[in-house]
Amino acid sequence: MTGAIQHIDVEWNDTRYRFEYQNNDLKDVTLYSVKEVCTEITGIAANDLYLAFNGAILVGDNTKLDKFGISSGAKLELIDSEASLKFNRRTSSSSSSSSSDNINPNNNNNNNNNNNNNNNNTNTNTSTSTDHNNRNTIDYTNNPEIQKINKIQQETTNKVLDRMSSYQSEVHLFKKLYLDTDSEAYQAMMRTSPQDFKNLREKARIDLGKDYTFLTETLMQSLLALDNIKSDEYPDTAVRLRRKEAVKKLQAYLDKVDQYKKISEGRDSKL
């Protein structure tokens, strides 16, 4: 019906997020635009995310959802790049009626008809499935606390990812120049005077220390901000679950930074 609110549900880490569209806008939504919204929720780049529908990963970022047989009320599953291979193996072994683990809208029309039929079943069973698995449906657009969490995670990710990549590269170089005695770079540095070697190493350590301080302080401040978000006012635990996801992601960044520091100090050889 024209003007009616339409929605799709996207499931991520046992939490279901509802994306609403007005004025029949859902028909113009592409797969990539959904991934971009998912990036706001997860903090993971859109290119590293995959969406699955009816047990198959969707292929074709510029393809509109209706080409996959997706309509209002459909339920999609969100997975990241690390989980996509496991997902393919799971669906391949558990599905006896599908010959492929990917949905490509360029396949024959029978696939689209099957998707439409399966989609109708999904719409009918969404509520029952949610109750049975005790999962929460979250309208992330209307929950101010979840909006705060999304903002904290996204802003923090934007601040630290490039700096973390640079820090990792600098640690790798430091390891080759000043720690790995078998490397050619270390041997070349040893041909300088002992005082020059010491001075250069100390300067490099100071620069690494600046990166480490920036990253750890930024991440700790964000984790503290997440900790200050109230969740006891929401009996469905939606805010608590979303906050838990964000904390897990930022803590993983912090653990990486700490690992890099150990490497620069010669306490860990794995980079």
PDB file of all heavy atoms in Angstrom, residues 216-232:
ATOM      1  N   THR A 216      45.107   3.981  23.052  1.00  0.00           N
ATOM      2  CA  THR A 216      44.564   3.439  24.299  1.00  0.00           C
ATOM      3  C   THR A 216      43.661   4.457  25.001  1.00  0.00           C
ATOM      4  O   THR A 216      42.604   4.087  25.520  1.00  0.00           O
ATOM      5  CB  THR A 216      45.692   3.012  25.252  1.00  0.00           C
ATOM      6  OG1 THR A 216      46.608   4.103  25.450  1.00  0.00           O
ATOM      7  CG2 THR A 216      46.434   1.820  24.706  1.00  0.00           C
ATOM      8  N   GLU A 217      44.050   5.717  25.003  1.00  0.00           N
ATOM      9  CA  GLU A 217      43.214   6.735  25.652  1.00  0.00           C
ATOM     10  C   GLU A 217      41.882   6.907  24.919  1.00  0.00           C
ATOM     11  O   GLU A 217      40.829   7.021  25.551  1.00  0.00           O
ATOM     12  CB  GLU A 217      43.954   8.061  25.725  1.00  0.00           C
ATOM     13  CG  GLU A 217      45.087   8.078  26.747  1.00  0.00           C
ATOM     14  CD  GLU A 217      45.749   9.439  26.865  1.00  0.00           C
ATOM     15  OE1 GLU A 217      45.407  10.340  26.057  1.00  0.00           O
ATOM     16  OE2 GLU A 217      46.612   9.603  27.752  1.00  0.00           O
ATOM     17  N   THR A 218      41.929   6.906  23.591  1.00  0.00           N
ATOM     18  CA  THR A 218      40.701   7.048  22.810  1.00  0.00           C
ATOM     19  C   THR A 218      39.758   5.877  23.054  1.00  0.00           C
ATOM     20  O   THR A 218      38.546   6.056  23.285  1.00  0.00           O
ATOM     21  CB  THR A 218      41.025   7.128  21.310  1.00  0.00           C
ATOM     22  OG1 THR A 218      41.862   8.266  21.064  1.00  0.00           O
ATOM     23  CG2 THR A 218      39.752   7.278  20.482  1.00  0.00           C
ATOM     24  N   LEU A 219      40.300   4.679  23.037  1.00  0.00           N
ATOM     25  CA  LEU A 219      39.469   3.486  23.234  1.00  0.00           C
ATOM     26  C   LEU A 219      38.940   3.400  24.663  1.00  0.00           C
ATOM     27  O   LEU A 219      37.769   3.052  24.885  1.00  0.00           O
ATOM     28  CB  LEU A 219      40.278   2.237  22.880  1.00  0.00           C
ATOM     29  CG  LEU A 219      40.553   2.057  21.381  1.00  0.00           C
ATOM     30  CD1 LEU A 219      41.626   1.003  21.147  1.00  0.00           C
ATOM     31  CD2 LEU A 219      39.270   1.672  20.641  1.00  0.00           C
ATOM     32  N   MET A 220      39.778   3.723  25.640  1.00  0.00           N
ATOM     33  CA  MET A 220      39.332   3.671  27.037  1.00  0.00           C
ATOM     34  C   MET A 220      38.238   4.705  27.308  1.00  0.00           C
ATOM     35  O   MET A 220      37.271   4.431  28.038  1.00  0.00           O
ATOM     36  CB  MET A 220      40.524   3.891  27.970  1.00  0.00           C
ATOM     37  CG  MET A 220      41.498   2.717  28.013  1.00  0.00           C
ATOM     38  SD  MET A 220      40.709   1.162  28.559  1.00  0.00           S
ATOM     39  CE  MET A 220      40.263   1.590  30.244  1.00  0.00           C
ATOM     40  N   GLN A 221      38.364   5.890  26.736  1.00  0.00           N
ATOM     41  CA  GLN A 221      37.329   6.911  26.900  1.00  0.00           C
ATOM     42  C   GLN A 221      36.006   6.454  26.300  1.00  0.00           C
ATOM     43  O   GLN A 221      34.933   6.674  26.876  1.00  0.00           O
ATOM     44  CB  GLN A 221      37.786   8.213  26.255  1.00  0.00           C
ATOM     45  CG  GLN A 221      38.886   8.936  27.016  1.00  0.00           C
ATOM     46  CD  GLN A 221      39.465  10.113  26.249  1.00  0.00           C
ATOM     47  OE1 GLN A 221      39.007  10.441  25.151  1.00  0.00           O
ATOM     48  NE2 GLN A 221      40.484  10.746  26.807  1.00  0.00           N
ATOM     49  N   SER A 222      36.093   5.802  25.162  1.00  0.00           N
ATOM     50  CA  SER A 222      34.871   5.311  24.524  1.00  0.00           C
ATOM     51  C   SER A 222      34.251   4.169  25.318  1.00  0.00           C
ATOM     52  O   SER A 222      33.021   4.081  25.454  1.00  0.00           O
ATOM     53  CB  SER A 222      35.172   4.857  23.094  1.00  0.00           C
ATOM     54  OG  SER A 222      35.610   5.947  22.308  1.00  0.00           O
ATOM     55  N   LEU A 223      35.072   3.286  25.842  1.00  0.00           N
ATOM     56  CA  LEU A 223      34.554   2.201  26.677  1.00  0.00           C
ATOM     57  C   LEU A 223      33.898   2.741  27.935  1.00  0.00           C
ATOM     58  O   LEU A 223      32.858   2.232  28.385  1.00  0.00           O
ATOM     59  CB  LEU A 223      35.686   1.234  27.036  1.00  0.00           C
ATOM     60  CG  LEU A 223      36.178   0.338  25.892  1.00  0.00           C
ATOM     61  CD1 LEU A 223      37.470  -0.373  26.278  1.00  0.00           C
ATOM     62  CD2 LEU A 223      35.109  -0.679  25.506  1.00  0.00           C
ATOM     63  N   LEU A 224      34.478   3.790  28.497  1.00  0.00           N
ATOM     64  CA  LEU A 224      33.880   4.429  29.667  1.00  0.00           C
ATOM     65  C   LEU A 224      32.549   5.074  29.310  1.00  0.00           C
ATOM     66  O   LEU A 224      31.579   4.987  30.080  1.00  0.00           O
ATOM     67  CB  LEU A 224      34.839   5.474  30.233  1.00  0.00           C
ATOM     68  CG  LEU A 224      34.371   6.215  31.497  1.00  0.00           C
ATOM     69  CD1 LEU A 224      34.130   5.227  32.634  1.00  0.00           C
ATOM     70  CD2 LEU A 224      35.405   7.260  31.908  1.00  0.00           C
ATOM     71  N   ALA A 225      32.495   5.710  28.139  1.00  0.00           N
ATOM     72  CA  ALA A 225      31.246   6.332  27.691  1.00  0.00           C
ATOM     73  C   ALA A 225      30.160   5.285  27.503  1.00  0.00           C
ATOM     74  O   ALA A 225      28.989   5.508  27.853  1.00  0.00           O
ATOM     75  CB  ALA A 225      31.480   7.104  26.397  1.00  0.00           C
ATOM     76  N   LEU A 226      30.530   4.126  26.974  1.00  0.00           N
ATOM     77  CA  LEU A 226      29.557   3.037  26.821  1.00  0.00           C
ATOM     78  C   LEU A 226      29.092   2.527  28.174  1.00  0.00           C
ATOM     79  O   LEU A 226      27.915   2.204  28.366  1.00  0.00           O
ATOM     80  CB  LEU A 226      30.182   1.891  26.016  1.00  0.00           C
ATOM     81  CG  LEU A 226      30.414   2.141  24.527  1.00  0.00           C
ATOM     82  CD1 LEU A 226      31.196   0.982  23.913  1.00  0.00           C
ATOM     83  CD2 LEU A 226      29.101   2.332  23.789  1.00  0.00           C
ATOM     84  N   ASP A 227      30.008   2.460  29.120  1.00  0.00           N
ATOM     85  CA  ASP A 227      29.670   1.979  30.457  1.00  0.00           C
ATOM     86  C   ASP A 227      28.687   2.906  31.161  1.00  0.00           C
ATOM     87  O   ASP A 227      27.906   2.472  32.007  1.00  0.00           O
ATOM     88  CB  ASP A 227      30.947   1.841  31.289  1.00  0.00           C
ATOM     89  CG  ASP A 227      30.705   1.129  32.603  1.00  0.00           C
ATOM     90  OD1 ASP A 227      30.204  -0.006  32.578  1.00  0.00           O
ATOM     91  OD2 ASP A 227      31.011   1.728  33.660  1.00  0.00           O
ATOM     92  N   ASN A 228      28.710   4.186  30.798  1.00  0.00           N
ATOM     93  CA  ASN A 228      27.828   5.163  31.437  1.00  0.00           C
ATOM     94  C   ASN A 228      26.430   5.203  30.840  1.00  0.00           C
ATOM     95  O   ASN A 228      25.558   5.894  31.360  1.00  0.00           O
ATOM     96  CB  ASN A 228      28.453   6.565  31.338  1.00  0.00           C
ATOM     97  CG  ASN A 228      29.667   6.726  32.236  1.00  0.00           C
ATOM     98  OD1 ASN A 228      29.777   6.042  33.258  1.00  0.00           O
ATOM     99  ND2 ASN A 228      30.590   7.590  31.855  1.00  0.00           N
ATOM    100  N   ILE A 229      26.213   4.486  29.766  1.00  0.00           N
ATOM    101  CA  ILE A 229      24.879   4.452  29.153  1.00  0.00           C
ATOM    102  C   ILE A 229      23.972   3.553  29.980  1.00  0.00           C
ATOM    103  O   ILE A 229      24.314   2.414  30.289  1.00  0.00           O
ATOM    104  CB  ILE A 229      24.962   3.961  27.698  1.00  0.00           C
ATOM    105  CG1 ILE A 229      25.669   5.014  26.838  1.00  0.00           C
ATOM    106  CG2 ILE A 229      23.578   3.660  27.137  1.00  0.00           C
ATOM    107  CD1 ILE A 229      25.841   4.624  25.403  1.00  0.00           C
ATOM    108  N   LYS A 230      22.823   4.070  30.315  1.00  0.00           N
ATOM    109  CA  LYS A 230      21.890   3.336  31.170  1.00  0.00           C
ATOM    110  C   LYS A 230      21.177   2.262  30.362  1.00  0.00           C
ATOM    111  O   LYS A 230      20.709   2.502  29.260  1.00  0.00           O
ATOM    112  CB  LYS A 230      20.845   4.283  31.769  1.00  0.00           C
ATOM    113  CG  LYS A 230      21.431   5.437  32.566  1.00  0.00           C
ATOM    114  CD  LYS A 230      22.162   4.943  33.800  1.00  0.00           C
ATOM    115  CE  LYS A 230      22.688   6.107  34.633  1.00  0.00           C
ATOM    116  NZ  LYS A 230      23.454   5.649  35.807  1.00  0.00           N
ATOM    117  N   SER A 231      21.091   1.077  30.929  1.00  0.00           N
ATOM    118  CA  SER A 231      20.359   0.003  30.260  1.00  0.00           C
ATOM    119  C   SER A 231      19.273  -0.596  31.141  1.00  0.00           C
ATOM    120  O   SER A 231      18.435  -1.355  30.657  1.00  0.00           O
ATOM    121  CB  SER A 231      21.320  -1.115  29.840  1.00  0.00           C
ATOM    122  OG  SER A 231      21.940  -1.679  30.982  1.00  0.00           O
ATOM    123  N   ASP A 232      19.247  -0.232  32.431  1.00  0.00           N
ATOM    124  CA  ASP A 232      18.283  -0.850  33.335  1.00  0.00           C
ATOM    125  C   ASP A 232      16.859  -0.348  33.107  1.00  0.00           C
ATOM    126  O   ASP A 232      15.905  -0.912  33.624  1.00  0.00           O
ATOM    127  CB  ASP A 232      18.684  -0.634  34.797  1.00  0.00           C
ATOM    128  CG  ASP A 232      18.950   0.828  35.114  1.00  0.00           C
ATOM    129  OD1 ASP A 232      18.780   1.673  34.207  1.00  0.00           O
ATOM    130  OD2 ASP A 232      19.333   1.122  36.262  1.00  0.00           O
TER     131      ASP A 232
END
